[in-house]
Amino acid sequence: MKKFQSKPYLKLLCLGLLCAGLARAQDVTDQAVAASPVPVATELPQADTKPVAAGIMKKVQGTVLVRGLDAAAPRAVTSGDAWFAGERLVTKADSAASLTLRDGSELVLAANTAVALPKFEYDTTTQEGNILLDFLGGQLRILSGLIAKNKSENMRIKTATALVGVRGTDFILEAPLSNDD
């Protein structure tokens, strides 16, 4: 039996034919796509992006309502419900609530308290962000989280008479609640 010996020029010739065939196949595919009556997507479709919750209700007692900025009817919340930027949280008489924001900040609302969250941004990777709370009245205890720890000027609380910059980690706000809430 005679052993087959390959010749180097045959290898190059085969490789060249293979590359030419692949290039021709790509040309045919490109032409077919161009002539196709079916539109071809040039970008990947965007996934439906739902807003990310700013915080989660930890404990809810009595009647606690959340009202969105769209002036829709308020909805009752229970433990485990999400709180989103742009929403207002209101506790009624004989009610209380506590929640934890994504950066670890904790808010405790006493009875007859209202607070809004106009702005909440938080990057879990860099642990940086911004919080703007609008304290509308009642009694509110705040234990600041990573945003204030990393850059204290990025956590602000707006009241009827002042804009409070957070410099500490645990503080209480108390003010009369307006009749609107």
Side-chain angles (χ1 to χ4, degrees):
M1 190 179 246
K2 188 173 181 183
K3 188 175 179 186
F4 177 77
Q5 292 182 354
S6 83
K7 307 279 184 195
Y9 64 87
L10 286 177
K11 286 182 183 177
L12 288 175
L13 179 63
C14 290
L15 183 60
L17 289 174
L18 178 64
C19 290
L22 290 175
R24 176 70 181 133
Q26 182 63 43
D27 288 343
V28 169
T29 304
D30 290 345
Q31 290 170 1
V33 167
S36 172
V38 178
V40 177
T42 56
E43 295 181 15
L44 292 175
Q46 296 296 321
D48 291 335
T49 54
K50 293 183 180 179
V52 177
I56 300 294
M57 304 302 297
K58 293 298 179 183
K59 188 172 182 181
V60 175
Q61 278 183 286
T63 305
V64 180
L65 304 172
V66 169
R67 191 178 309 157
L69 290 179
D70 57 3
R75 70 180 193 279
V77 294
T78 59
S79 297
D81 286 353
W83 191 40
F84 296 93
E87 292 183 326
R88 177 184 293 189
L89 187 62
V90 179
T91 57
K92 297 297 183 179
D94 298 325
S95 300
S98 66
L99 64 124
T100 302
L101 299 178
R102 286 187 17 240
D103 77 320
S105 295
E106 294 182 36
L107 283 69
V108 181
L109 290 80
N112 296 317
T113 299
V115 64
L117 186 63
K119 182 177 183 179
F120 182 85
E121 301 167 345
Y122 182 63
D123 183 336
T124 56
T125 304
T126 62
Q127 297 181 343
E128 293 178 355
N130 288 289
I131 299 175
L132 175 60
L133 285 168
D134 193 356
F135 177 60
L136 304 168
Q139 294 178 334
L140 173 66
R141 179 179 181 193
I142 301 173
L143 292 95
S144 61
L146 292 172
I147 291 174
K149 179 181 177 184
N150 291 334
K151 201 168 188 182
S152 61
E153 60 268 17
N154 287 356
M155 184 172 191
R156 299 269 190 236
I157 294 95
K158 181 179 162 191
T159 68
T161 57
L163 181 64
V164 179
V166 175
R167 296 290 180 259
T169 57
D170 186 358
F171 56 95
I172 297 172
L173 298 171
E174 187 172 354
L177 184 63
S178 70
N179 292 335
D180 297 342
D181 298 306

